[in-house]
Amino acid sequence: MRVRKLTFAALAIATALSLTACNDEDLTGQADPSSTSTGSSAPDDAGSDGSGGSDEEGGKGTVAGTGSNENGEIGKCRTDELEITASDATIGGDTEGTVAVEFKNGAGRDCALAAYAGVDLGTDSGMISAERAGEPVDTTILKDGKSIFFGVTYPMNDSGGSGVRVTSLVVTPPDETKSVSIEWPGEATLPVTDGGGSSVKVGPMGSAGQGEG
């Protein structure tokens, strides 16, 4: 009986030790996958929310800025960027005199010109402002280094009198406030008017000379 009791006790101890060993192995096995899962998810999180996402947004911003510079609105032609000259363009037999004004683009870039420039004639009787001739036309893009011409028409002084003496041609590019005063190349005098409106007309861009060239 004593031997049998000892045997049962030995078996009970062996069984308890075996169960303890199994539990330890299970716990150890569960810890490893948990650690591995946490380690693999960290790079994914960093890739989606970290530098990868920021770099992509930064790239789009840079491209958008470049696109805006390339495809955005072209700036207007500034007075200081234009070489402004004028020449007599009257054709024999015309009932009106014509002066062709040239804008040459020296801006180092393309620039935009609205339909009409401002034109005033300095005379010994004061300034005469030219009126626009006809309906407005579209804005013109003037390429760098290229020229465009427009006409200024005025009545001939066939009255036999001294008329109004022209002293200068004052030109203001479209949408600009700075003017340039140059020599008037047309007839020296204009007929005296009754004050019923300006007899001097300014045409839109491309209305005289060689157009755009």
Side-chain angles (χ1 to χ4, degrees):
M1 293 296 293
R2 181 180 297 274
V3 173
R4 183 175 297 177
K5 289 181 178 180
L6 290 175
T7 302
F8 287 156
L11 288 173
I13 292 171
T15 301
L17 290 174
S18 176
L19 290 174
T20 301
C22 290
N23 290 336
D24 290 341
E25 289 176 0
D26 291 342
L27 291 173
T28 304
Q30 290 174 359
D32 291 341
S34 175
S35 175
T36 303
S37 175
T38 303
S40 63
S41 65
D44 293 339
D45 293 341
S48 61
D49 299 332
S51 60
S54 298
D55 289 343
E56 184 179 358
E57 291 174 2
K60 289 181 180 178
T62 301
V63 171
T66 303
S68 178
N69 291 336
E70 292 179 351
N71 302 318
E73 293 184 1
I74 295 176
K76 67 182 180 181
C77 299
R78 299 287 185 178
T79 302
D80 292 337
E81 298 172 333
L82 296 170
E83 181 182 345
I84 303 174
T85 57
S87 60
D88 184 13
T90 304
I91 298 175
D94 285 353
T95 58
E96 291 183 314
T98 301
V99 166
V101 179
E102 177 184 2
F103 282 171
K104 185 174 182 178
N105 182 5
R109 60 178 177 83
D110 298 348
C111 61
L113 289 166
Y116 287 90
V119 171
D120 298 282
L121 300 187
T123 74
D124 57 2
S125 298
M127 299 295 291
I128 298 176
S129 295
E131 293 182 352
R132 294 181 177 183
E135 295 298 322
V137 295
D138 292 338
T139 296
T140 298
I141 303 302
L142 185 59
K143 300 292 185 180
D144 181 38
K146 298 296 184 178
S147 295
I148 194 167
F149 300 79
F150 63 90
V152 178
T153 59
Y154 60 95
M156 297 287 199
N157 183 16
D158 298 328
S159 64
S162 59
V164 178
R165 186 170 190 81
V166 182
T167 58
S168 63
L169 171 62
V170 181
V171 180
T172 309
D175 297 325
E176 278 284 82
T177 57
K178 184 176 182 179
S179 302
V180 173
S181 180
I182 57 180
E183 183 179 353
W184 170 251
E187 294 294 320
T189 61
L190 303 177
V192 177
T193 63
D194 58 5
S198 176
S199 57
V200 181
K201 306 292 183 183
V202 55
M205 295 296 157
S207 64
Q210 301 173 6
E212 184 179 351

